[in-house]
Amino acid sequence: MMESPDLFDAYIVMGPAFWWNKEEPVKDFKAFLSASDTLDKALYFGVGKEDGNRHSLKRFVKELETTTPKGVRWKHEEFDDEGHMSAPLLNNYFALKFIFSDMRLPQAIMDDFSSEKFLAHEAGIMKKYGQAAKQPQEIYVPLALELMKQENYTGAVTVFRRNAEAYIMNKYPQNYVWLAEALEKNKKVKEAIKVYEQAYTLSQETGYGETDKFAAKIKELKAKL
């Protein structure tokens, strides 16, 4: 990072030997931070509590605490009952979880939902990480169902539509049923019919098993037009 700062966006540092040569890396890092006004990086430092390197790492992190350039996201963790050889498994897991934590939909957006803020966040993660970036369905579906309970059907449509688009390759009919239900509640009957027809087609293709139910719902909605 110090020698080629444009090469990577994130770094995982595990049980480093920062004691080397009278803690030369600590001194170099201090100078690097002082010369950097802005540094758009994610840094994760992990070490086992039984690792002798943890003390020099603490001093290294201390420099980051006192001189943190703008844009830096960082975290330092120590793992109980782990040494130099056993900590990397935990380090990798928690490091990756931290580095990609900005992909997760912020709780503030879920608590005070607006379609604009939701879509802006989703567009942001796709711009940063690629078009395949998305939330787990454990985020989309409960959020949209809660919006349905709140009778925020427009918001529910936004989230269910994003869920269906993000997981289109799953070919899961229920993704379209949820969206169709929200559209129907939002008085978008024609669009709801089209989405139910998508669920019907997928159910036939995948053997999902509820084609009769979907066909009946399509017939019911068409009768309302």
Side-chain angles (χ1 to χ4, degrees), residues 111-142:
D111 291 341
D112 185 22
F113 184 87
S114 78
S115 293
E116 292 76 17
K117 289 188 292 186
F118 171 80
L119 292 174
H121 179 269
E122 297 297 283
I125 64 172
M126 287 189 285
K127 181 179 180 180
K128 182 175 182 179
Y129 293 111
Q131 289 301 304
K134 53 185 176 284
Q135 306 298 317
Q137 287 195 291
E138 290 88 344
I139 297 290
Y140 291 138
V141 176

Side-chain angles (χ1 to χ4, degrees), residues 37-77:
D37 294 328
T38 302
L39 195 64
D40 187 15
K41 305 293 180 186
L43 311 176
Y44 180 89
F45 304 95
V47 67
K49 283 191 174 179
E50 296 177 7
D51 188 334
N53 293 325
R54 66 185 284 254
H55 302 294
S56 58
L57 175 58
K58 273 190 172 182
R59 287 187 283 274
F60 186 93
V61 168
K62 195 72 175 177
E63 296 299 336
L64 188 55
E65 287 176 343
T66 57
T67 315
T68 305
K70 294 178 182 178
V72 173
R73 289 192 302 121
W74 68 278
K75 189 172 185 178
H76 169 232
E77 288 188 288

Side-chain angles (χ1 to χ4, degrees), residues 2-214:
M2 289 189 283
E3 293 181 7
S4 302
D6 296 328
L7 193 56
F8 297 108
D9 298 320
Y11 300 83
I12 301 171
V13 184
M14 298 186 288
F18 285 157
W19 50 263
W20 182 81
N21 198 24
K22 298 181 181 180
E23 298 194 357
E24 182 178 316
V26 180
K27 298 170 187 173
D28 290 345
F29 192 55
K30 184 177 181 179
F32 173 75
L33 290 175
S34 298
S36 305
D37 294 328
T38 302
L39 195 64
D40 187 15
K41 305 293 180 186
L43 311 176
Y44 180 89
F45 304 95
V47 67
K49 283 191 174 179
E50 296 177 7
D51 188 334
N53 293 325
R54 66 185 284 254
H55 302 294
S56 58
L57 175 58
K58 273 190 172 182
R59 287 187 283 274
F60 186 93
V61 168
K62 195 72 175 177
E63 296 299 336
L64 188 55
E65 287 176 343
T66 57
T67 315
T68 305
K70 294 178 182 178
V72 173
R73 289 192 302 121
W74 68 278
K75 189 172 185 178
H76 169 232
E77 288 188 288
E78 295 186 348
F79 300 100
D80 291 328
D81 302 319
E82 304 295 344
H84 188 69
M85 302 304 291
S86 62
L89 182 63
L90 291 171
N91 275 333
N92 271 318
Y93 172 76
F94 286 105
L96 292 171
K97 192 172 182 179
F98 166 72
I99 287 169
F100 293 104
S101 61
D102 61 342
M103 290 182 65
R104 187 177 178 88
L105 187 67
Q107 189 64 43
I109 293 179
M110 292 190 277
D111 291 341
D112 185 22
F113 184 87
S114 78
S115 293
E116 292 76 17
K117 289 188 292 186
F118 171 80
L119 292 174
H121 179 269
E122 297 297 283
I125 64 172
M126 287 189 285
K127 181 179 180 180
K128 182 175 182 179
Y129 293 111
Q131 289 301 304
K134 53 185 176 284
Q135 306 298 317
Q137 287 195 291
E138 290 88 344
I139 297 290
Y140 291 138
V141 176
L143 172 59
L145 291 175
E146 179 59 30
L147 291 170
M148 291 281 280
K149 286 182 184 178
Q150 297 172 8
E151 298 184 0
N152 184 350
Y153 302 126
T154 299
V157 166
T158 298
V159 180
F160 277 138
R161 192 187 305 281
R162 169 66 176 144
N163 175 66
E165 291 171 350
Y167 288 93
I168 190 170
M169 298 303 294
N170 287 22
K171 295 188 175 182
Y172 183 45
Q174 186 60 43
N175 287 338
Y176 297 91
V177 174
W178 283 318
L179 174 57
E181 289 172 345
L183 286 165
E184 182 184 358
K185 288 287 188 180
N186 207 28
K187 305 187 186 306
K188 306 283 186 180
V189 177
K190 287 184 179 180
E191 194 173 351
I193 291 170
K194 290 181 180 179
V195 177
Y196 267 121
E197 288 173 342
Q198 287 178 285
Y200 177 85
T201 300
L202 279 177
S203 185
Q204 285 185 314
E205 290 177 0
T206 62
Y208 186 69
E210 296 195 4
T211 50
D212 291 344
K213 177 182 175 181
F214 300 152

